């Protein structure tokens, strides 16, 4: 149960890739949605621990978003609505019951959007240090996406890619699991290592959140039990941008952790314990999930 298998699903017109811990018949589906520039393998520490805790009672699937990892990389289709339809199309193929969405960074932003627009589809919502709902300025957006762009290389060696990533995330814990996720996000091209995420796709992801709030208006429509996890190492303004999700979603539970933005990789035991308690307490009855 602790090691995942690859999964490929043709859904919403594209071939989507992920890794899954299968679970048993009738298991409650938990979908893990990664952040910008990331991929499904960054969820390995959390997915493994949830699978070990719940066994056959949950089916945990970490998806590569369109344009990322080993999913297809079409030239267009990066609006929140189309990306939400990608996730919902996968959901429909995997189960006829509601899903628990666990989203990190941009994946949290997208998860909140799905939960607000399609509340009947979502049984539980976990937002892991979610992305800003809208950028406060073009300068702030440029600084973030420039850093993500630097992670796309080209690099002469994997060690060069690691050094670049460490400069961009000085507080992160660089475990073997994190290094595996970084390596999975790269491919060889012309004797160099480059990111699987195309730069033209990155530009579209930047544009979506630049001038309008696509998520905030839907937060009051979220009916699923919600857990919001916030990295306390962020500055006051950044913490406020994350806490805005909790202010918009009625009854959201908020927890703080002294980690980097990648808390599920930095402190996997703590995050898995907190998310596991949430699953067992709030949505476990859907599949008989107990503590």
């Amino acid at each position: 149960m602790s090691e995942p298998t690859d999964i490929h699903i043709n859904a919403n017109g594209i071939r989507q890739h992920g890794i899954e811990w299968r679970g048993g018949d009738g298991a409650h589906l938990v979908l893990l949605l990664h952040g910008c520039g990331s991929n499904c393998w960054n969820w390995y520490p959390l997915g493994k621990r949830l699978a070990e805790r719940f066994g056959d009672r949950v089916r945990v699937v970490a998806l590569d978003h369109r344009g990322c990892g080993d999913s297809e990389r079409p030239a267009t289709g990066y609006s929140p609505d189309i990306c939400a339809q990608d996730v919902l199309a996968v959901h429909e193929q995997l189960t006829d019951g509601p899903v628990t969405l666990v989203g990190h960074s941009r994946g949290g932003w997208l998860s909140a959007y799905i939960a607000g627009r399609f509340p009947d589809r979502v049984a539980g919502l976990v937002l892991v240090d979610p992305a800003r709902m809208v950028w406060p300025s073009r300068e702030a957006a440029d600084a973030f996406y420039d850093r993500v762009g630097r992670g796309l290389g080209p690099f002469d060696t994997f060690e060069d890619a690691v050094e670049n990533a460490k400069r961009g995330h000085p507080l992160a814990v660089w475990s073997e699991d994190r290094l595996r996720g970084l390596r999975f996000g790269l491919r060889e091209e012309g004797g160099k290592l480059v990111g699987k995420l195309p730069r033209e796709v990155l530009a579209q992801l930047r544009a979506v959140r630049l001038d309008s709030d696509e998520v905030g208006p839907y937060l009051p429509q979220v009916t699923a039990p919600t857990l919001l996890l916030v990295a306390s190492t962020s500055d006051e303004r950044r913490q406020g941008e994350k806490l805005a999700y909790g202010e918009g979603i009625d009854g959201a539970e908020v927890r703080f952790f002294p980690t980097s933005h990648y808390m599920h990789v930095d402190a996997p035991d703590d995050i898995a314990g907190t998310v596991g308690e949430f699953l067992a307490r709030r949505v476990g009855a859907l599949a008989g999930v107990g503590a």
Side-chain angles (χ1 to χ4, degrees), residues 51-84:
E52 289 174 343
R53 174 169 180 169
F54 293 110
D56 284 345
R57 293 168 292 174
V58 297
R59 183 178 187 181
V60 182
V61 177
L63 286 178
D64 282 331
H65 298 293
R66 68 166 55 210
C68 302
D70 282 354
S71 288
E72 281 193 48
R73 294 178 278 275
T76 60
Y78 297 91
S79 68
D81 184 60
I82 293 176
C83 290

Side-chain angles (χ1 to χ4, degrees), residues 70-283:
D70 282 354
S71 288
E72 281 193 48
R73 294 178 278 275
T76 60
Y78 297 91
S79 68
D81 184 60
I82 293 176
C83 290
Q85 293 301 328
D86 288 345
V87 175
L88 293 173
V90 168
H91 173 207
E92 288 176 353
Q93 292 200 31
L94 298 182
T95 182
D96 57 3
V99 62
T100 291
L101 295 176
V102 181
H104 172 242
S105 196
R106 184 183 181 275
W109 172 86
L110 181 61
S111 295
Y113 177 85
I114 294 170
R117 284 209 59 196
F118 309 95
D120 292 343
R121 304 286 295 274
V122 181
L125 178 64
V126 181
L127 306 177
V128 182
D129 222 41
R132 301 165 177 87
M133 283 181 265
V134 64
W135 287 101
S137 67
R138 290 181 178 270
E139 291 75 17
D142 288 343
F144 173 79
Y145 288 104
D146 285 350
R147 177 170 58 77
V148 176
R150 289 192 293 273
L152 302 179
F155 302 106
D156 291 327
T157 66
F158 181 60
E159 289 70 25
D160 291 339
V162 172
E163 288 305 311
N164 173 77
K166 287 182 176 180
R167 288 192 294 271
H169 301 280
L171 298 179
V173 175
W174 287 92
S175 63
E176 287 301 315
D177 288 339
R178 184 175 176 89
L179 292 173
R180 174 166 44 186
L182 180 64
R183 182 66 183 85
F184 182 76
L186 299 169
R187 60 183 177 85
E188 293 188 12
E189 182 181 277
K192 304 282 188 178
L193 290 174
V194 298
K196 292 178 179 176
L197 173 68
R199 291 186 181 276
E200 56 269 25
V201 169
L202 182 62
Q204 292 184 61
L205 297 178
R206 175 186 181 276
V208 167
R209 289 193 293 130
L210 191 57
D211 295 317
S212 62
D213 183 357
E214 300 286 346
V215 174
Y218 294 107
L219 295 182
Q221 300 176 36
V222 174
T223 59
T226 299
L227 174 65
L228 171 60
L229 308 181
V230 176
S232 60
T233 57
S234 301
D235 60 36
E236 184 176 352
R237 185 176 74 174
R238 182 68 185 95
Q239 287 193 43
E241 292 167 336
K242 302 172 210 177
L243 291 171
Y245 286 86
E247 294 165 1
I249 299 173
D250 185 42
E253 175 185 354
V254 181
R255 298 284 298 275
F256 292 87
F257 291 88
T259 65
S260 80
H261 181 50
Y262 287 84
M263 58 174 61
H264 52 302
V265 185
D266 291 348
D269 288 334
D270 291 341
I271 301 305
T274 300
V275 174
E277 290 170 7
F278 173 81
L279 280 171
R281 185 176 72 248
R282 306 296 289 277
V283 300

